[in-house]
Amino acid sequence: MKGIFKWVIQLVVALFSILLISGAPLLIAGFQRGELLWKEYIETLQFHVKSLWNFRELSVDYYIGRGEVRQVPVFPQLLENISYSLQLLFLALAAAIIFALIGTFITMLLSGKLRSRVKLVFYFLESFPDILIILLAQLSIVIIFQQTGVLVSKIAAIGDDRIYWLPVLCLMILPMIQLYRLSMLTFEAEERQMYVELAKSLGFSKVFILFLHILRNAMISVFFQSKKTMWFMLSNLFILELMFNIPGIMYYMFENLSGILFLVTVLSFFLPVFLLYSLGEWYFLRRMNRGGATL
């Protein structure tokens, strides 16, 4: 019960903080004029709460050019933008974790000298900017098409088109390298533990020890470190949608920014991420308390 109460408090505080931030532009505008628009700020927050309560009737301004504005219902129109962005985000996160662990597992099987060289290459790749990675990926698709006539992937979304694997690939590369670096540190720390020496003395192979013991323990650290990776990916999501012309919610919010749209967008990302990591934290802490992460 104590854990559930703590979880509810965290959720309520986070939601309340997001609500307060959604009305911040009004306060900032008032500060620039030397005014404190507290009354208007409270009214804006009340409007946002009422709008969310009647979410089926919720609509936002959509600028169609030449100063013309029309009201667009959030549901179901904007729900497609939100779901598309979330699909790209979670697919990229899953791919980053999987490939980081596979890369770590393979690197741990190498000799010490070769392992250092592989780590150096990955650390060098981490310095690449995300825009450069996207441009190189798109340029590679164009070169392959020119040389072979085969269009491996579209380099931009047009109309109702949906492209997945190339944006996911571009979004997951830097997070994968970050997770690889962190998981390598964790694996190497676990490798020096006494239970590994015990397993070696019992005649277990290196692959067996890595897969059934070190990996099981290291997964806990990798999971908690992936929280930072998730927020890093969110910061890159806008650039990705802009470069690929993806009709996602980040690009839409940039063109049609408003307090209520900001609130809907942040909640649409925060709630699934919060629930995912809350369940993961509950599972891993439960295993640790039961001693499930030991030999």
Side-chain angles (χ1 to χ4, degrees), residues 107-126:
T107 306
M108 291 294 295
L109 295 175
L110 302 175
S111 62
K113 186 176 181 180
L114 191 55
R115 181 191 299 183
S116 299
R117 293 179 179 177
V118 173
K119 288 163 58 177
L120 183 63
V121 171
F122 274 94
Y123 296 162
F124 172 74
L125 293 176
E126 191 177 5

Side-chain angles (χ1 to χ4, degrees), residues 66-228:
R66 297 182 180 180
E68 297 184 32
V69 180
R70 63 187 175 100
Q71 290 288 313
V72 176
V74 172
F75 302 96
Q77 278 83 353
L78 288 186
L79 186 60
E80 297 180 2
N81 300 73
I82 294 172
S83 62
Y84 190 18
S85 296
L86 286 175
Q87 289 173 37
L88 295 177
L89 184 67
F90 283 108
L91 284 173
L93 178 64
I97 293 175
I98 292 172
F99 283 104
L101 289 175
I102 292 175
T104 303
F105 190 83
I106 295 174
T107 306
M108 291 294 295
L109 295 175
L110 302 175
S111 62
K113 186 176 181 180
L114 191 55
R115 181 191 299 183
S116 299
R117 293 179 179 177
V118 173
K119 288 163 58 177
L120 183 63
V121 171
F122 274 94
Y123 296 162
F124 172 74
L125 293 176
E126 191 177 5
S127 63
F128 277 40
D130 47 4
I131 295 180
L132 178 60
I133 291 176
I134 296 174
L135 289 175
L136 288 176
Q138 292 176 327
L139 181 61
S140 299
I141 296 298
V142 173
I143 293 175
I144 293 174
F145 179 73
Q146 289 178 338
Q147 297 296 324
T148 65
V150 177
L151 184 60
V152 179
S153 172
K154 295 180 180 179
I155 60 174
I158 301 176
D160 295 330
D161 288 345
R162 295 290 185 267
I163 53 177
Y164 285 96
W165 82 262
L166 188 60
V168 168
L169 176 66
C170 294
L171 187 60
M172 60 81 68
I173 289 179
L174 289 180
M176 178 200 67
I177 297 174
Q178 290 181 356
L179 288 174
Y180 169 83
R181 175 172 53 84
L182 295 170
S183 60
M184 278 299 302
L185 293 174
T186 305
F187 270 65
E188 290 178 334
E190 289 289 331
E191 192 180 32
R192 295 188 290 267
Q193 298 298 319
M194 291 297 297
Y195 74 87
V196 175
E197 297 297 329
L198 175 61
K200 290 180 180 179
S201 66
L202 294 175
F204 292 110
S205 66
K206 192 173 184 179
V207 174
F208 181 86
I209 296 172
L210 278 173
F211 188 74
L212 289 185
H213 299 300
I214 295 181
L215 176 62
R216 184 175 60 179
N217 292 349
M219 275 295 297
I220 298 175
S221 297
V222 173
F223 171 79
F224 284 104
Q225 291 293 339
S226 67
K227 289 183 179 181
K228 298 178 182 179

